[in-house]
Amino acid sequence: KVVIACGQLRLRECKDMDFAIFCNSKPVIESSKRITFCCFDGYYFNLKEQFDATKMSVFNNRWSEIHDFTPQSNNWSYSEPTLRLLDFVNPLSTGIPDLITAEEESNPHKEMVVPLTLGMRPLMTSGEFGFVLFFPNQVDACNTFLWLCKENAVAITQTKEWVIPFMVAPEIFSQSPNVPEKRMLVSGPSISVGFFGPRATEDVLRLLEPVPVGAYYAAQSAVE
């Protein structure tokens, strides 16, 4: 069992391994069997500082985009989305009590560093997709929203931090009557959040109520 955050993950001739991963690029496997993948989901006391030091965006986790050089039906699969970091490792406070206490580790207000996403795993047949875009310099607003989604069991499919090209903006908002100003969109990296569920759009609009209106654009319907 492996829990890892990395820029690249490449496996060769591996067997019977379970991975909970954050990966900035597509994970690659070759000549491997019975490998399972799920999204990195966990927290410890300086995880956010470590991500900042490596300059990896926590919103660009491509954990589910597996590329298999020797594709066969039993080479790899997604593990259950309920699998969590603590299923793999013991609490850090049991191993390094001088650095972190059990009280600090169990803090109910601890920050969620890496968003938990469903990725490209098969979804339920009935439901709708939705989309929220947080404008440049609105990371705190995005994190507040993602925490509310986790607390209310709203399924996030994918997140992405990127600078929206000026010419691409009209395509993204082609179905929307409320197009954000292009000048705002290209001023820095935005964070897009995709979600899915039976009433995903309705649930997400409700969760966005405490978030400042000027911080985001949200699809008002599944069509949009």
Side-chain angles (χ1 to χ4, degrees):
K1 297 182 183 295
V2 180
V3 181
I4 188 169
C6 57
Q8 294 184 1
L9 180 68
R10 296 179 180 271
L11 308 179
R12 181 179 173 86
E13 297 180 355
C14 297
K15 294 181 180 180
D16 301 307
M17 300 186 69
D18 301 320
F19 286 85
I21 63 173
F22 170 95
C23 193
N24 256 172
S25 58
K26 293 182 179 181
V28 174
I29 68 173
E30 183 175 2
S31 302
S32 299
K33 300 285 187 183
R34 298 179 298 278
I35 311 296
T36 70
F37 295 95
C38 69
C39 183
F40 183 102
D41 178 33
Y43 172 86
Y44 55 83
F45 65 104
N46 66 342
L47 179 61
K48 178 62 168 61
E49 289 75 14
Q50 290 178 345
F51 268 98
D52 291 343
T54 61
K55 301 187 184 304
M56 292 192 299
S57 171
V58 297
F59 302 107
N60 293 340
N61 187 2
R62 304 179 70 179
W63 72 270
S64 67
E65 301 175 43
I66 314 299
H67 181 77
D68 187 355
F69 278 112
T70 52
Q72 294 180 15
S73 60
N74 64 340
N75 284 356
W76 66 273
S77 63
Y78 298 123
S79 58
E80 291 299 318
T82 54
L83 200 57
R84 300 293 184 261
L85 179 61
L86 290 180
D87 296 322
F88 289 92
V89 297
N90 292 323
L92 292 177
S93 56
T94 63
I96 48 175
D98 293 340
L99 293 180
I100 184 170
T101 66
E103 182 179 0
E104 290 173 321
E105 196 164 38
S106 62
N107 179 7
H109 303 294
K110 59 181 176 289
E111 183 180 6
M112 180 183 66
V113 177
V114 177
L116 177 64
T117 61
L118 295 178
M120 299 179 66
R121 72 169 65 249
L123 302 174
M124 65 182 75
T125 55
S126 61
E128 61 184 27
F129 288 95
F131 173 76
V132 178
L133 181 76
F134 288 88
F135 300 137
N137 304 312
Q138 296 295 337
V139 174
D140 290 342
C142 180
N143 283 331
T144 297
F145 170 69
L146 291 171
W147 179 257
L148 290 171
C149 286
K150 186 174 184 178
E151 290 291 285
N152 290 271
V154 172
I156 300 298
T157 55
Q158 191 173 13
T159 61
K160 181 179 180 180
E161 184 172 20
W162 59 313
V163 177
I164 299 177
F166 188 84
M167 300 302 294
V168 174
E171 297 180 23
I172 297 176
F173 303 101
S174 61
Q175 302 297 319
S176 174
N178 303 309
V179 181
E181 291 186 17
K182 292 181 182 178
R183 181 178 56 185
M184 177 189 299
L185 293 177
V186 301
S187 63
S190 298
I191 303 169
S192 54
V193 181
F195 48 88
F196 180 83
R199 298 186 304 174
T201 301
E202 178 183 335
D203 291 340
V204 164
L205 290 176
R206 173 175 52 82
L207 294 180
L208 281 168
E209 289 178 359
V211 180
V213 175
Y216 66 88
Y217 161 85
Q220 303 295 309
S221 67
V223 174
E224 183 182 338

